[in-house]
Amino acid sequence: ERLLALAEMHRILPDGKYKEVITTVVPGIINRYENDFNKSFYAWGANAFISLYASEPKQEYKEFIFKITDLLIESEYFAKNKTTIALGVFIEAFAPAYTFAKEVGDLNREKIYKKKLKDASRRLTKLQITQKNDLDEKSYAAVEGGFCINFSCPTIRLDNIQHGVAGLIAARNAGL
């Protein structure tokens, strides 16, 4: 989260103290994560580097965005269709990565990312509590529209709902 905030401040104030910090920390971040998918880093990291690219269109930023997004595609969430609420978190960054691929003209990744984004969004909606779920009327009224953490759905949490909704909004904003 701090990296995304820093990248956004650098985008807004490109010649300030944020540029110096970015210049210092980015090489270490790229070195740490370029070959090692880290699900905790991806959502914030991908969006941060998309923001950095917007302020400074450096080839290393573009390559890193694609590298970590390609690693996400190889993860269990996309390669093996693992369906948990974490998909919402990943879609929050995957949708902007899809838009980024379109903007920079990477037609191959655009096609692959679009297909994966559609599939992930479809799977995410299956975690949403709708009338199709098997709940009694009183329980359904209390949780309608919420998102389960997985298909066994033992609890509903506000952060799950937020990530589910934010993920679907991101996919819609990307044109899906």
Side-chain angles (χ1 to χ4, degrees):
E1 294 173 352
R2 290 177 286 205
L3 178 61
L4 179 56
L6 183 61
E8 283 294 303
M9 291 305 296
H10 175 58
R11 187 179 59 76
I12 294 165
L13 303 167
D15 295 325
K17 59 186 173 187
Y18 302 104
K19 182 176 180 80
E20 185 179 322
V21 176
I22 290 294
T23 303
T24 303
V25 301
V26 162
I29 290 169
I30 290 173
N31 186 52
R32 166 63 180 92
Y33 293 108
E34 70 181 337
N35 294 310
D36 179 28
F37 176 70
N38 181 302
K39 64 183 181 184
S40 300
F41 172 78
Y42 178 76
W44 302 107
N47 277 321
F49 275 84
I50 289 169
S51 181
L52 286 172
Y53 188 87
S55 60
E56 290 184 86
K58 292 182 175 182
Q59 184 68 20
E60 69 179 318
Y61 297 164
K62 181 171 113 175
E63 289 172 4
F64 186 67
I65 293 161
F66 288 145
K67 190 168 260 194
I68 63 174
T69 301
D70 292 348
L71 287 171
L72 172 64
I73 289 173
E74 295 169 9
S75 78
E76 63 190 337
Y77 292 93
F78 286 80
K80 297 180 181 173
N81 293 332
K82 182 174 182 178
T83 303
T84 72
I85 197 63
L87 277 174
V89 177
F90 296 141
I91 292 170
E92 288 178 65
F94 191 73
Y98 161 67
T99 300
F100 179 75
K102 286 194 311 188
E103 290 172 354
V104 300
D106 191 321
L107 300 177
N108 186 49
R109 280 194 173 94
E110 176 186 348
K111 182 180 175 183
I112 292 167
Y113 291 4
K114 182 177 184 177
K115 182 179 183 213
K116 294 291 187 180
L117 182 57
K118 278 184 174 183
D119 177 65
S121 298
R122 180 188 53 74
R123 288 186 291 123
L124 178 62
T125 62
K126 290 182 179 186
L127 292 175
Q128 191 169 26
I129 298 169
T130 66
Q131 291 177 346
K132 297 173 189 166
N133 295 93
D134 241 353
L135 294 174
D136 63 71
E137 195 170 315
K138 183 178 178 184
S139 298
Y140 173 72
V143 296
E144 178 182 10
F147 284 82
C148 297
I149 194 166
N150 56 36
F151 290 123
S152 65
C153 202
T155 59
I156 304 293
R157 292 182 6 194
L158 288 177
D159 60 332
N160 292 342
I161 296 168
Q162 182 272 320
H163 287 302
V165 170
L168 294 176
I169 290 170
R172 182 178 178 162
N173 288 344
L176 300 182

